[in-house]
């Protein structure tokens, strides 16, 4: 079904307005969003995406509506892996918490432009060559296999190549210079690390687009639906980042769930390719009669796999242990890093999380303590953070309302 030009114009205008709103209201004043703020905005963006989907159902019919929701859910699920990268990069650059919103929003804007270009290229390829479905299917099957491997440093590598090139080409400063992108050093214009972080986020995100775009084309070939599902998902991503900061460690079975979804869509794409086949060496260039799972069934599979994965992760003791260990290490490092945040309430929040995590690690008992590669070193790190906090309390530096 073709979508008229005026609908496209209205949709793009609406998305640009949402982005502009984010730039004007959220990042003009650097701050650390509270959990409540992130939750409210996250719910709002999901609400907008769902309302749009209901509009598609009403005006475009059941088939279009189902395709949109299947695409949006798949992108949302795959984005959790994306978020892992979005957490790693600011962390490895030691971006002060207050400026993380700004770097993320820029990264997301760039993603939106890059992915829009990829969507139109993908669509042109599909319309011209039916065999592209085979290629997309294989890409997803390979990605599904890769997801089951333990995480290595490939994430940081991708970002680092872009960053090393930028550092070599431009004069860069070491400090974050009040969240500016450029500053003047010794009479020369210099780039701040914040711009490098944005380059790294955008560069790495393009790699992720290479598996998420084929995945969504596996569910719908309607360019309008692909574009809107990707755009609404991206716009809600920044809020989600602050919301699930601690949840990522908990979802220990997520990789299996995502691998299952990608493999399922990969197989669906290959079946679709056989159905449309015109490759001379497959069935003499004739289409192969095979059954294809419907979009409704695909949506069902995606929802069930995600629910099972999340529930299994949340009830798992190993997951709980892993969360406490990873969280304690991250929070202790952040607390001891004087440049991590200038906001006393944020420092206090990190410290409170740390106190809870230490209790959890001690309560885990010896079986799970072995999971922390360096359990003694970790507890030592936590104790150093506590000593630093006690010294601050003694100097009367804790935020009002937090008396110990």
């Amino acid at each position: 079904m073709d979508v008229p030009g005026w609908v496209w114009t209205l949709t793009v205008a609406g998305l640009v307005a949402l982005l502009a709103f984010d730039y004007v209201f959220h990042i003009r004043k650097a701050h650390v969003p509270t959990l409540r703020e992130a939750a409210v905005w996250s719910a709002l963006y999901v609400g907008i995406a769902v309302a749009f989907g209901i509009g598609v159902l009403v005006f475009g019919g059941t088939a279009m509506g189902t395709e949109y929701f299947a695409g949006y859910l798949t992108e949302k699920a795959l984005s959790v892996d994306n978020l892992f990268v979005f957490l790693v990069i600011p962390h490895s650059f030691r971006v002060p918490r207050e400026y993380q919103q700004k770097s993320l929003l820029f990264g997301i804007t760039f993603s939106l432009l890059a992915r829009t270009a990829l969507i139109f290229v993908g669509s042109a390829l599909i319309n011209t060559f039916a065999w592209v479905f085979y290629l997309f299917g294989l890409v997803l099957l390979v990605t599904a296999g890769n997801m089951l491997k333990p995480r290595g440093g490939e994430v940081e590598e991708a970002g680092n190549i872009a960053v090393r090139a930028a550092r070599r080409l431009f004069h860069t400063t070491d400090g974050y210079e009040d969240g500016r992108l450029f500053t003047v050093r010794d009479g020369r214009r210099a780039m701040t690390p914040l711009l490098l972080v944005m380059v790294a986020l955008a560069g790495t995100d393009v790699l992720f687009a290479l598996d998420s775009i084929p995945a969504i084309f596996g569910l719908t070939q309607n360019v309008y639906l692909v574009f809107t599902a990707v755009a609404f998902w991206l716009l809600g991503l920044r809020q989600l980042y602050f919301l699930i900061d601690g949840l990522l460690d908990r979802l220990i079975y997520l990789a299996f769930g995502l691998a299952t979804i990608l493999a399922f869509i990969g197989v669906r794409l290959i079946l679709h390719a056989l159905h449309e086949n015109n490759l001379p060496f497959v069935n003499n260039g004739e289409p192969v009669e095979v059954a294809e799972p419907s979009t409704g069934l695909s949506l069902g599979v995606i929802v069930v796999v995600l629910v099972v994965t999340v529930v299994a992760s949340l009830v798992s003791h190993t997951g709980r242990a892993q969360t406490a260990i990873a969280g304690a290490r991250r929070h202790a490092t952040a607390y001891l890093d004087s440049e991590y945040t200038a906001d006393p309430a944020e420092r206090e929040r990190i410290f409170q999380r740390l106190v809870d995590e230490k209790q959890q690690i001690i309560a885990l008992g010896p079986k799970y303590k072995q999971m922390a590669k360096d359990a003694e070193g970790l507890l030592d790190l936590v104790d150093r953070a506590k000593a630093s906090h006690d010294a601050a309390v003694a100097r009367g530096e804790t935020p009002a309302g937090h008396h110990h």
Side-chain angles (χ1 to χ4, degrees):
M1 180 185 151
D2 278 335
V3 176
W6 64 270
V7 175
W8 269 102
T9 311
L10 276 178
T11 309
V12 172
L15 290 168
V16 169
L18 277 173
L19 253 183
F21 174 82
D22 257 358
Y23 271 99
V24 174
F25 287 97
H26 282 299
I27 63 166
R28 210 173 42 187
K29 181 179 171 294
H31 72 292
V32 181
T34 60
L35 210 57
R36 185 165 170 275
E37 183 188 333
V40 168
W41 283 105
S42 233
L44 187 72
Y45 276 109
V46 170
I48 292 172
V50 170
F52 178 82
I54 291 168
V56 172
L57 268 173
V58 173
F59 296 107
T62 321
M64 265 183 90
T66 317
E67 285 179 7
Y68 166 80
F69 279 114
Y72 178 72
L73 260 179
T74 302
E75 287 292 310
K76 204 85 178 149
L78 288 171
S79 75
V80 177
D81 221 46
N82 230 9
L83 276 175
F84 179 81
V85 182
F86 279 18
L87 284 169
V88 168
I89 291 176
H91 201 68
S92 60
F93 274 96
R94 296 172 58 217
V95 179
R97 188 80 169 160
E98 293 87 308
Y99 303 137
Q100 287 182 9
Q101 290 217 72
K102 190 173 188 172
S103 60
L104 281 170
L105 191 53
F106 179 86
I108 286 167
T109 309
F110 180 86
S111 288
L112 192 54
L113 296 171
R115 281 170 191 248
T116 303
L118 280 171
I119 287 168
F120 284 105
V121 170
S123 164
L125 283 173
I126 283 172
N127 290 335
T128 319
F129 312 107
W131 57 261
V132 169
F133 285 116
Y134 285 116
L135 184 67
F136 278 7
L138 285 173
V139 165
L140 293 187
L141 291 173
V142 170
T143 309
N146 283 340
M147 274 197 167
L148 299 177
K149 284 193 212 149
R151 275 200 200 292
E154 77 280 354
V155 160
E156 295 180 41
E157 267 314 292
N160 283 345
I161 294 166
V163 170
R164 276 206 300 273
R167 277 224 157 109
R168 203 159 290 151
L169 293 170
F170 306 102
H171 181 46
T172 54
T173 65
D174 291 330
Y176 277 92
E177 314 288 330
D178 287 340
R180 285 197 295 272
L181 300 182
F182 289 99
T183 187
V184 176
R185 266 285 153 85
D186 310 324
R188 283 173 67 196
R189 257 174 92 73
M191 227 168 48
T192 72
L194 198 59
L195 194 59
L196 290 180
V197 173
M198 293 176 178
V199 169
L201 284 172
T204 317
D205 186 75
V206 171
L207 290 180
F208 274 86
L210 296 177
D211 61 23
S212 81
I213 301 290
I216 195 167
F217 271 121
L219 297 164
T220 173
Q221 279 91 62
N222 183 319
V223 178
Y224 179 74
L225 295 182
V226 174
F227 171 73
T228 47
V230 168
F232 281 119
W233 152 74
L234 273 174
L235 284 175
L237 195 61
R238 184 178 53 80
Q239 309 299 342
L240 201 63
Y241 169 87
F242 287 97
L243 196 61
I244 70 170
D245 194 358
L247 200 66
L248 276 181
D249 302 313
R250 266 320 277 278
L251 300 175
I252 58 168
Y253 300 125
L254 187 71
F256 297 105
L258 293 181
T260 307
I261 290 173
L262 284 180
F264 173 78
I265 300 175
V267 169
R268 186 171 189 245
L269 272 169
I270 288 170
L271 290 173
H272 184 73
L274 287 168
H275 218 255
E276 309 264 320
N277 181 55
N278 57 10
L279 287 180
F281 52 85
V282 177
N283 199 30
N284 299 325
E286 293 298 311
V288 184
E289 284 309 310
V290 282
E292 280 185 75
S294 67
T295 312
L297 175 68
S298 305
L299 181 59
V301 168
I302 293 164
V303 171
V304 170
V305 170
L306 283 177
V307 169
V308 169
T309 309
V310 171
V311 171
S313 297
L314 292 179
V315 297
S316 145
H317 282 300
T318 314
R320 223 165 285 169
Q322 231 162 306
T323 313
I325 290 162
R329 185 164 280 132
R330 203 166 61 235
H331 291 123
T333 313
Y335 190 83
L336 288 168
D337 181 354
S338 59
E339 289 172 22
Y340 179 69
T341 176
D343 179 357
E346 171 65 10
R347 286 186 71 77
E348 189 64 17
R349 183 191 74 82
I350 295 172
F351 182 74
Q352 291 307 328
R353 292 279 297 272
L354 196 53
V355 171
D356 296 343
E357 283 151 357
K358 184 182 177 184
Q359 292 307 322
Q360 285 169 2
I361 292 172
I362 292 169
L364 289 173
K367 180 183 167 199
Y368 290 112
K369 265 205 193 131
Q370 286 152 8
M371 285 175 57
K373 289 190 183 66
D374 165 24
E376 290 313 309
L378 176 59
L379 289 173
D380 177 51
L381 187 67
V382 173
D383 290 339
R384 269 170 44 213
K386 186 173 184 322
S388 162
H389 180 266
D390 292 345
V393 173
R395 294 194 299 272
E397 286 175 17
T398 55
H402 284 292
H403 297 300
H404 299 278

